[in-house]
Amino acid sequence: MMIYKYWESVTREDLEFAVGGGAGGAYGEMHKLSRDNVGTAQAGGAPGGSGSGVASGRGGIRSDGRKRDTTRLNAAQLSLAAVAQASGSCWLSGPTAVLAGVKVSIGNSSSPAGPAGRAAAAADAETDAMGVGESDAFGGGGRVVCTVECAPALLPQMDPRAVEDMCVDYANFVTKLLNSGSNGLDLRALAIVPNAALGWVVHVDALVLSYAGNLLDTIVMAVRGALCNTLIPKVSVEESPALFGAGMDYEFDMADEETEPLVGCDDIPVVVTLFKIGNYCVIDPNPLEESCSDVQLTVAVTRSGVPCAIQKRGNGSLEPSLLAEMLRDARKHAVRLFALMDDAISRERLRLANME
């Protein structure tokens, strides 16, 4: 598309037409239509048509030819076991490429002490306020810790400090989601010593390799794939009375070859972010569309189709009717994402099994 050549000259109204109009394509064609034609096209091809949500159809053509509810992701872009040294890994090689790696270690399943522990406790309180429920694993299971890294050079339009803050924000969101009661993972199965705060700590690192929009959704998909590829060593525990004081001492025997997958990894929620531009919303936007969006709604949806976490970003507002429609659209798109990822993960697991 030639639209990127005119980045500085494309106006907000032009992009709104490209999102909601019926001829969205070349930049020059946008100026050939009158305001009445633009209004008709945004309404879906006929005056008085419905223009809210992520509705597709004759009028839902974007600047790159996609409909408003069409994603650029396909099953061939997902590769498991991309990092041999990791406990699990996934490479998502789409327009926005993300490499996610997993390392597991034995540690305290509750929040650590010190400033990091206070930050984690504050995050847990915020999670409870969001309605994402506190993890059942704390105090008797395991936990997941996520970090996100992105080189500022990948987003030259943003200040380096803003890129760092964005990575922290995304990492906190994913960490809260994976430690919530609706995360799909059975974190209690990560317990090594029952009824004790000692278990597996799953460290997930997401590295952004290229950026072309829709970063948070891509990160969650890569993390989800990496967790589905994660294998944890089997551990046998021997208890003995403590030599000093009350309590018990524990000795661990970790198997070298015997491993087991994470329980419930296939039920980890998917995340759908809807970007509002004018009176319309798009899924999987490119950077130009993101720059014209004044509000974004991120929805995490479980396999059963229930939204388990919602987060709004941006300074814009959402009408209640539009919010309800965005939630419905997020649930519809989540069904397609689950099917796409299930197909990709099954294909990769078969490929890895044939290599053994």
Side-chain angles (χ1 to χ4, degrees):
M1 292 304 300
M2 297 296 293
I3 192 170
Y4 290 102
K5 290 188 63 178
Y6 302 93
W7 180 283
E8 299 298 335
S9 58
V10 173
T11 64
R12 183 188 185 92
E13 289 75 11
D14 292 332
L15 188 62
E16 289 178 3
F17 168 71
V19 172
Y27 173 82
E29 293 179 356
M30 297 180 184
H31 296 278
K32 296 180 182 178
L33 298 179
S34 65
R35 285 291 177 182
D36 294 337
N37 291 335
V38 172
T40 300
Q42 287 181 336
S50 174
S52 60
V54 195
S56 61
R58 178 176 178 271
I61 306 300
R62 296 156 69 173
S63 60
D64 56 3
R66 290 183 293 142
K67 295 182 179 180
R68 293 194 293 268
D69 61 347
T70 304
T71 181
R72 294 169 289 180
L73 181 68
N74 60 70
Q77 296 170 348
L78 188 144
S79 300
L80 299 183
V83 182
Q85 297 81 5
S87 302
S89 60
C90 175
W91 178 34
L92 202 59
S93 59
T96 296
V98 175
L99 177 64
V102 177
K103 274 291 188 181
V104 296
S105 63
I106 298 176
N108 193 334
S109 63
S110 60
S111 300
R118 290 191 292 271
D124 295 338
E126 182 179 351
T127 300
D128 295 339
M130 290 170 58
V132 182
E134 186 179 359
S135 169
D136 293 334
F138 281 76
R143 61 188 174 98
V144 183
V145 180
C146 181
T147 60
V148 176
E149 294 184 14
C150 178
L154 295 178
L155 292 92
Q157 69 274 21
M158 294 180 62
D159 182 77
R161 182 63 63 86
V163 175
E164 181 180 350
D165 293 341
M166 179 192 68
C167 291
V168 173
D169 181 31
Y170 287 175
N172 288 339
F173 178 86
V174 178
T175 300
K176 296 172 191 175
L177 178 65
L178 294 177
N179 286 289
S180 68
S182 304
N183 68 342
L185 286 175
D186 185 3
L187 296 182
R188 285 194 176 275
L190 297 177
I192 295 178
V193 179
N195 301 322
L198 188 65
W200 289 107
V201 180
V202 182
H203 302 272
V204 185
D205 296 323
L207 175 63
V208 181
L209 302 177
S210 66
Y211 172 76
N214 200 36
L215 183 56
L216 178 57
D217 295 12
T218 307
I219 289 173
V220 173
M221 285 186 284
V223 168
R224 189 176 185 273
L227 292 174
C228 288
N229 179 239
T230 299
L231 296 175
I232 296 179
K234 289 187 177 180
V235 177
S236 58
V237 182
E238 295 183 1
E239 299 183 6
S240 60
L243 297 178
F244 302 98
M248 304 291 291
D249 287 337
Y250 302 97
E251 294 184 2
F252 305 100
D253 184 13
M254 191 176 302
D256 295 330
E257 300 295 336
E258 296 184 43
T259 58
E260 53 189 2
L262 293 175
V263 179
C265 58
D266 292 325
D267 295 325
I268 296 175
V270 296
V271 169
V272 180
T273 301
L274 300 99
F275 289 73
K276 180 176 177 287
I277 304 176
N279 296 324
Y280 302 91
C281 297
V282 298
I283 287 175
D284 191 9
N286 57 43
L288 181 58
E289 292 170 335
E290 285 189 349
S291 66
C292 292
S293 174
D294 56 354
V295 59
Q296 304 87 42
L297 187 71
T298 298
V299 185
V301 184
T302 64
R303 184 174 288 276
S304 59
V306 178
C308 61
I310 301 173
Q311 187 176 72
K312 172 185 170 294
R313 294 183 176 87
N315 299 322
S317 60
L318 293 173
E319 296 181 357
S321 59
L322 179 59
L323 176 61
E325 188 164 355
M326 291 172 72
L327 291 176
R328 288 194 297 268
D329 292 333
R331 296 175 63 182
K332 292 178 182 178
H333 186 64
V335 174
R336 297 194 292 267
L337 279 183
F338 272 115
L340 187 149
M341 291 208 67
D342 289 346
D343 177 63
I345 292 174
S346 298
R347 173 181 54 80
E348 284 294 294
R349 285 174 172 170
L350 180 61
R351 178 183 66 84
L352 294 175
N354 292 334
M355 292 175 59
E356 295 179 354

